[in-house]
Amino acid sequence: MAMELSIWSSYYIELSPEDAILRLKQNGLNSVELSDEHGLAILSRSSDPVSEGRKFGEYAKSIGMDIPQGHLWLRVQLVRDENAIERMKQWLDLFEAIGIKNMVLHIDNCGGLIHSKEDIYKANAEKLKMLTDYIGEREIFICLENLIAEGTNSIDDLLAIIDMVDSDKIGITLDTGHLNVSKTSSQKEFIYKAGNKLRALHIADNEGASDQHLMPYGKGNVDFDEVISALRDIGYEGILNYEIPGENRCPIEVRDMKTKYVIDSYGYLMNK
């Protein structure tokens, strides 16, 4: 179902990957984004990411949990780390084995080693071409996320890199919280420009000064009516995934209560 509610698995970060998605399922969720932290946990179990991914994917199916989206290694330095490509291949294989199609990736702002936007774009595109060559014709997609640092924070940055890679295996992730901090465009403009390349979402709120990762309808000021309206306008077909670590700094039982509120407020938002 288009825009089905999802919460990323590290909402229950202290639990194992299996227990985290089971808890979300027991609290009424049918879709989840597998977090970077839980991806790392699964990868650490053996040297065979495909076998581990299949086992985890089978478990998810057994409890009726869909995992259409996952966050690739959060701290990857795609350009600066000479081992990044080989490590990312393991992640791609793991996620594909689980059944994840849309894989969220942070591009590399190059840490001040490269200063011009054009050169940042070229450096990232070169590495991404290696990954798309590795993917080949597989039905998986790398979804570049808008970040906060210069050269990585606007829809124009992402589209410039995608144009250089020239592959239909590269899509876009909108992080509403990052965009609210960077202020490189409105949410609506970002979504319209992304168009059918938009394959993944990180729904999060903040007050505009820092990335607080709050759920909608708190003290943040992201206009989620605008977000949902624009997503409908472009025919977005992915999940509405909440990435809200600002809400998980409380006892696990309180998070269960918050989950029920998230579900109710999601219903309100979608029915407006």
Side-chain angles (χ1 to χ4, degrees), residues 6 8 145-146 174-181 187 201-208 210-224 227 240-247 269:
S6 164
W8 102 128
E145 180 179 354
N146 60 302
L174 166 62
D175 187 302
T176 59
H178 291 170
L179 188 58
N180 200 47
V181 174
Q187 304 283 340
L201 293 175
H202 283 170
I203 295 294
D205 206 355
N206 59 59
E207 296 172 283
S210 64
D211 194 18
Q212 294 163 288
H213 287 109
L214 305 173
M215 58 185 168
Y217 298 120
K219 61 182 179 180
N221 53 32
V222 172
D223 186 343
F224 286 102
V227 171
L240 196 75
N241 178 69
Y242 286 37
E243 189 194 45
I244 47 174
E247 304 291 350
L269 180 62

Side-chain angles (χ1 to χ4, degrees), residues 116-127:
S116 79
K117 281 190 177 185
E118 185 75 11
D119 288 340
I120 290 173
Y121 302 160
K122 288 178 180 177
N124 277 281
E126 180 182 347
K127 299 295 185 178

Side-chain angles (χ1 to χ4, degrees), residues 157-218:
D157 294 331
L158 302 185
L159 289 173
I161 294 170
I162 290 171
D163 284 345
M164 289 180 182
V165 180
D166 191 24
S167 168
D168 62 2
K169 298 302 179 182
I170 303 292
I172 290 172
T173 303
L174 166 62
D175 187 302
T176 59
H178 291 170
L179 188 58
N180 200 47
V181 174
S182 70
K183 300 176 177 62
T184 55
S185 72
S186 68
Q187 304 283 340
K188 179 167 64 176
E189 181 184 356
F190 186 107
I191 292 166
Y192 284 171
K193 281 190 172 183
N196 62 10
K197 293 182 175 65
L198 185 64
R199 300 189 62 91
L201 293 175
H202 283 170
I203 295 294
D205 206 355
N206 59 59
E207 296 172 283
S210 64
D211 194 18
Q212 294 163 288
H213 287 109
L214 305 173
M215 58 185 168
Y217 298 120

Side-chain angles (χ1 to χ4, degrees), residues 30 35 40 47 70 73 100-101 128 204 214-215 231 235 258:
N30 296 310
S35 71
L40 281 168
S47 60
W73 188 30
I100 296 168
K101 286 194 173 182
L128 287 165
L214 305 173
M215 58 185 168
L231 290 172
K258 287 186 178 184

Side-chain angles (χ1 to χ4, degrees), residues 29-270:
L29 274 292
N30 296 310
S31 292
V32 64
E33 177 192 68
L34 187 68
S35 71
D36 146 87
E37 295 89 349
H38 283 139
L40 281 168
I42 298 169
L43 275 175
S44 71
R45 292 172 176 173
S46 80
S47 60
D48 186 347
V50 173
S51 175
E52 295 300 334
R54 284 176 181 160
K55 285 188 283 189
F56 184 74
E58 288 168 3
Y59 173 76
K61 286 181 183 177
S62 75
I63 65 169
M65 181 61 87
D66 187 30
I67 314 179
Q69 182 175 312
H71 203 310
L72 297 165
W73 188 30
L74 192 64
R75 292 171 181 78
V76 65
Q77 295 180 338
L78 198 62
V79 174
R80 289 170 283 172
D81 181 358
E82 62 182 15
N83 298 314
I85 296 302
E86 290 308 309
R87 294 191 70 171
M88 294 314 299
K89 288 177 181 178
Q90 289 186 317
W91 280 84
L92 294 173
D93 290 344
L94 171 73
F95 278 14
E96 182 189 31
I98 291 170
I100 296 168
K101 286 194 173 182
N102 297 315
M103 308 181 185
V104 177
L105 179 67
H106 286 191
I107 51 178
D108 193 344
N109 66 13
C110 301
L113 298 176
I114 300 175
H115 296 286
S116 79
K117 281 190 177 185
E118 185 75 11
D119 288 340
I120 290 173
Y121 302 160
K122 288 178 180 177
N124 277 281
E126 180 182 347
K127 299 295 185 178
L128 287 165
K129 284 178 183 177
M130 296 179 188
L131 295 180
T132 56
D133 286 346
Y134 182 69
I135 290 172
E137 297 303 313
R138 292 188 274 176
E139 281 298 304
I140 56 177
F141 303 88
I142 298 171
C143 304
L144 308 183
E145 180 179 354
N146 60 302
L147 305 176
I148 295 177
E150 184 76 13
T152 67
N153 58 7
S154 75
I155 182 59
D156 293 330
D157 294 331
L158 302 185
L159 289 173
I161 294 170
I162 290 171
D163 284 345
M164 289 180 182
V165 180
D166 191 24
S167 168
D168 62 2
K169 298 302 179 182
I170 303 292
I172 290 172
T173 303
L174 166 62
D175 187 302
T176 59
H178 291 170
L179 188 58
N180 200 47
V181 174
S182 70
K183 300 176 177 62
T184 55
S185 72
S186 68
Q187 304 283 340
K188 179 167 64 176
E189 181 184 356
F190 186 107
I191 292 166
Y192 284 171
K193 281 190 172 183
N196 62 10
K197 293 182 175 65
L198 185 64
R199 300 189 62 91
L201 293 175
H202 283 170
I203 295 294
D205 206 355
N206 59 59
E207 296 172 283
S210 64
D211 194 18
Q212 294 163 288
H213 287 109
L214 305 173
M215 58 185 168
Y217 298 120
K219 61 182 179 180
N221 53 32
V222 172
D223 186 343
F224 286 102
D225 289 351
E226 174 184 280
V227 171
I228 298 301
S229 176
L231 290 172
R232 284 179 170 143
D233 285 346
I234 68 164
Y236 173 74
E237 294 183 347
I239 54 175
L240 196 75
N241 178 69
Y242 286 37
E243 189 194 45
I244 47 174
E247 304 291 350
N248 69 358
R249 294 158 193 158
C250 59
I252 198 166
E253 295 82 4
V254 175
R255 270 171 276 164
D256 293 341
M257 299 175 202
K258 287 186 178 184
T259 305
K260 293 176 175 58
Y261 168 77
V262 166
I263 292 170
D264 288 344
S265 62
Y266 160 80
Y268 168 80
L269 180 62
M270 297 300 292

